[in-house]
Each structure stands twice: as structure tokens, then as C-alpha cells.
Amino acid sequence: MTTIDTDPDTGLDPLEFAVTRNLAAKSAADRDAILASPGFGQSFTDHMVDICWSVRGGWHRPRVSPYGPISLDPAAAVLHYGQEIFEGIKAYRHADGSVHTFRPDQNGRRLQRSARRLALPELPVPYFLQSLRELIAVDGAWVPSGEDQSLYLRPFMFAKEAFLGVRPAHKVAYYLIASPAGAYFKGGVQPVSIWLSEDYSRAGKGGTGAAKTGGNYAASLLPQSEAYENECDQVVFLDQDRNVEELGGMNVVFVYKDGTIVTPQSDSILEGITRDSLLQLARDRGHHVEGRNVSLTEWREGVASGDIVEVFACGTAAVVTPIGILKGRDFIDEQPSGTLALELREELTNIQYGRAEDKHGWLYRLDA
Ligand code: PLP
Ligand code: COI
């Protein structure tokens, strides 16, 4: 049990997690073999965290248990109506062996915003932070130390009440699992090609686009398959007015020749924490930053005229990835290549891995 004080902001006492160790935990040799080349999202650590919620009991029965299948009633509401949300956040190993994560308060708050939209209970941020620390307390050895490697933490919450009526569930589960991670894209930090989805949208006005909920990702899978069929890595979505939204799992950022940085902003786009951090680092360098609509026409004409000098995608899993090609049904636009995306990537990862000063107080230690 980690000792944690009462939270000064919320007055909440820490939860008391019941810890059951995994007796079949991987040997150090097996774990090291996985950490040598983890890929993305393929292997999982030895333990998981869960906390129950019910209308009557609130948050209760916090546990750390061996990683394994979850038993669900076939009538569990999540299986029928998709009442589910998740987060993505990484733990980084510093040179001195310590383990840190990045702006977890932001992920905790975004989980709360997603919960509100999906009519799920809001997990207090101190409980969210505690869940991360509890998992690292038992699975800290799974945080890899190789270049660009991390332990990807996946908090999620779903409706587990067995009830087929369509209303917010009265019983909910919060879980946290973790997966050692290397590069998200097979080619590493190579420019990616993007397929423009013309027939399918990801989110609508007043919909769930700003929430991190499984349904948005389910809706992106068919257009993502279309992207693969067209030899593209990722898909980009437009809104009903043909403004650029985001990729299936990343935000988009445009760099203009006068140094202005523009990123689409609307209530149908996920507010990325990586993007917010990169934009802050750009502001620190003196760049002017704008969050506003960017139409497909502005993008294509800006690239053609040379007004747009760089386009990149960003998110926790993929960090920062330059966009090399935008491909539509009847065009292929090569994107200009610049240096800012990779410079900002370097600056961000230097902070995350403890190689540069954390001026904004973004790091949060998980193993102490
Ligand atoms: N947009 C979508 C649809 C995503 O899935 C993600 C990844 O989490 C992002 C944007 C970037 O968000 P963040 O930088 O917080 O990971
Ligand atoms: C992330 O970057 O954390 C994501 O959620 C993107 C994707 C893996 C779903």
C-alpha cells in the first residue's frame, strides 16, 4: 500500500486498495524479452486495477489483481449500448530509474468530461492518480528503458449493469491496464500518409466527438480500412462544413510560413493533451498559435501556394508524426516537409524522459 495523504483540493481520503499479487507473473527473463521489442498494445503487465461504482455505494472495492479476463453478464449494458470511455497516458523511465507520467491531471479531467457526456460517473481525479500509482507499485518493472519506449497506461470505464433498458447504468466499473510500448507506427518517425474520408464522418454536431469513447473509434474503423486499401496509414475526418477535424487517433496541426501554428478546434474534436503541450512549447518559442476552423480548401490551397510549410499529427500513442501525403479519391497532395514537428517532438520527449528541465511542472512521479 502506498501511503497517500488526504487530497488538499477535494478533501477526499485515499482509497485502500486490496492487493492480490499475480502468482503466475512473468519471469524477469520473459518480461525483458517483451520489453526488448514491445510494439504497441500487444503485451500486458501482470496486474490490473479496478474500482466499482454503483448508484447506492458510490466508488468502492478498489483492487489490484492479477491481469486476466473480466467476467461480465451477457446483458451488461456496455455490450449493447456502448456506454464506455477510456484514456491513454504513458509512464516514462528516467535515467535514474524513477518512473514519471505526463500531465495526468489533464487525463483525469478529460476522463471526467467523457464520463459526463456518456452519462457515466465521474471518477475523482485523486482516485485516478492513485490508480496509476497503485499499478506502478506492483508493475513498475514493466516500464521499459529503451529509446522512445514507455509503459502505455489504459484507464477505462464501462456500464456493467445487467439491464437491457436504455438508460444510464446503475453499476459501472473503472479499470486500469498497462502495455509496454515502442513506436506506434511500424516505420518509427517517418512521415505518414493520410486518407481523406469523404463518405464517412467520425462525429457530428452535439455528438460524442470530444469524448474519448469507444463508439468514436468504432465509427473510424471502416474509413480506416478504406485508408489501408488506398495505401494510407491513417484517415482524416471532415465536419459537415468540410472543415478538418482530426485523424482516427491523433490531432492535426498546421504550420504557416510566417510561423503561425493553427489547429482545428471545435466541440467535435478530442482535446489532445499532446497537442496542448506542443502548442505551449511553440508559444514558449514565440510562435503565434490559433485554434480555429481549417477548411479542406484552406489546407490544400495553403500547401499549393506555400503558405502552409508543415503539417503534423500528434497524440499520446504516436507522439508527433509528420504528415507526408494527403490522398483523396481524385488527388494526391504531397505535404511540405519542415523541421518544427521534429524539433517540438524532441523538446517534448526530452521533458517526458527527464532529459530537459520541466519548466511547466508537467511531470508527475509515479513510483514514490
Ligand atoms: N484525437 C483522437 C481521436 C485520439 O484518440 C487521440 C489520442 O488520444 C488524440 C486526438 C490525441 O490526444 P492526446 O494527445 O491526449 O493523446
Ligand atoms: C492515444 O494516443 O492514447 C490513443 O488513444 C490513440 C489510439 C491508440 C486509440
Side-chain angles (χ1 to χ4, degrees):
M1 241 320 279
T2 327
T3 313
I4 300 161
D5 294 334
T6 302
D7 185 77
D9 296 330
T10 58
L12 282 174
D13 284 331
L15 296 169
E16 290 219 6
F17 282 76
V19 179
T20 308
R21 287 278 180 168
N22 188 347
L23 299 176
K26 292 241 170 4
S27 68
D30 286 351
R31 188 178 61 229
D32 288 348
I34 293 170
L35 296 188
S37 179
F40 183 85
Q42 294 162 17
S43 316
F44 301 92
T45 64
D46 294 314
H47 297 88
M48 61 189 186
V49 166
D50 77 308
I51 313 174
C52 296
W53 179 90
S54 65
V55 168
R56 283 210 196 149
W59 294 104
H60 62 279
R61 212 195 60 183
R63 294 187 300 190
V64 177
S65 4
Y67 182 94
I70 297 172
S71 163
L72 269 190
D73 192 293
V78 64
L79 301 176
H80 304 271
Y81 309 127
Q83 196 188 1
E84 186 267 356
I85 55 174
F86 67 97
E87 269 303 323
I89 180 168
K90 284 173 169 174
Y92 307 91
R93 170 102 45 211
H94 287 193
D96 65 0
S98 59
V99 176
H100 302 251
T101 190
F102 185 75
R103 305 186 75 186
D105 52 317
Q106 296 296 316
N107 294 83
R109 282 202 220 125
R110 189 169 66 188
L111 188 70
Q112 291 185 324
R113 292 199 297 279
S114 298
R116 238 171 280 148
R117 181 62 185 87
L118 272 289
L120 284 162
E122 290 177 41
L123 182 73
V125 173
Y127 293 176
F128 175 80
L129 299 178
Q130 200 188 348
S131 73
L132 306 181
R133 289 195 304 262
E134 293 286 343
L135 193 60
I136 293 301
V138 291
D139 280 342
W142 281 91
V143 182
S145 54
E147 199 182 339
D148 288 337
Q149 292 185 338
S150 60
L151 183 64
Y152 183 78
L153 302 165
R154 172 53 66 87
F156 60 105
M157 191 192 293
F158 59 87
K160 73 167 181 200
E161 183 185 1
F163 177 59
L164 295 184
V166 183
R167 60 140 171 78
H170 291 176
K171 284 189 186 159
V172 166
Y174 165 79
Y175 275 81
L176 170 65
I177 58 172
S179 174
Y184 184 70
F185 291 112
K186 279 206 189 86
V189 200
Q190 297 304 316
V192 289
S193 50
I194 305 292
W195 172 250
L196 175 69
S197 178
E198 297 262 19
D199 296 333
Y200 306 107
S201 56
R202 172 185 177 276
K205 203 165 172 50
T208 57
K212 212 161 163 57
T213 181
N216 293 340
Y217 297 81
S220 78
L221 298 178
L222 180 58
Q224 179 62 48
S225 303
E226 208 178 72
Y228 293 144
E229 281 158 23
N230 287 280
E231 291 163 356
C232 288
D233 301 304
Q234 272 280 323
V235 61
V236 65
F237 294 99
L238 301 178
D239 70 11
Q240 66 277 14
D241 301 318
R242 297 184 71 73
N243 291 313
V244 181
E245 286 190 321
E246 58 184 324
L247 309 191
M250 275 170 276
N251 291 120
V252 182
V253 177
F254 300 92
V255 184
Y256 285 71
K257 72 168 182 247
D258 69 356
T260 301
I261 297 183
V262 181
T263 188
Q265 195 165 37
S266 87
D267 60 8
S268 58
I269 297 174
L270 190 81
E271 290 178 276
I273 296 158
T274 313
R275 176 176 70 163
D276 185 69
S277 311
L278 293 168
L279 296 183
Q280 184 57 53
L281 295 177
R283 270 189 222 101
D284 294 348
R285 290 168 167 231
H287 287 270
H288 173 65
V289 171
E290 292 174 10
R292 60 164 171 84
N293 284 339
V294 180
S295 67
L296 178 65
T297 307
E298 178 176 346
W299 181 355
R300 296 198 58 203
E301 288 183 358
V303 166
S305 71
D307 264 356
I308 293 178
V309 293
E310 215 174 325
V311 189
F312 64 88
C314 54
T316 297
V319 198
V320 176
T321 307
I323 294 180
I325 285 173
L326 173 67
K327 192 169 175 184
R329 264 199 297 262
D330 50 9
F331 70 89
I332 299 178
D333 287 354
E334 258 194 56
Q335 303 298 298
S337 68
T339 55
L340 187 65
L342 294 183
E343 283 173 32
L344 290 176
R345 179 191 169 103
E346 175 92 4
E347 207 174 321
L348 180 72
T349 53
N350 280 346
I351 298 171
Q352 291 170 331
Y353 287 90
R355 298 186 294 252
E357 191 192 341
D358 174 24
K359 290 194 186 120
H360 294 283
W362 284 336
L363 292 182
Y364 180 89
R365 186 151 183 194
L366 288 175
D367 63 335

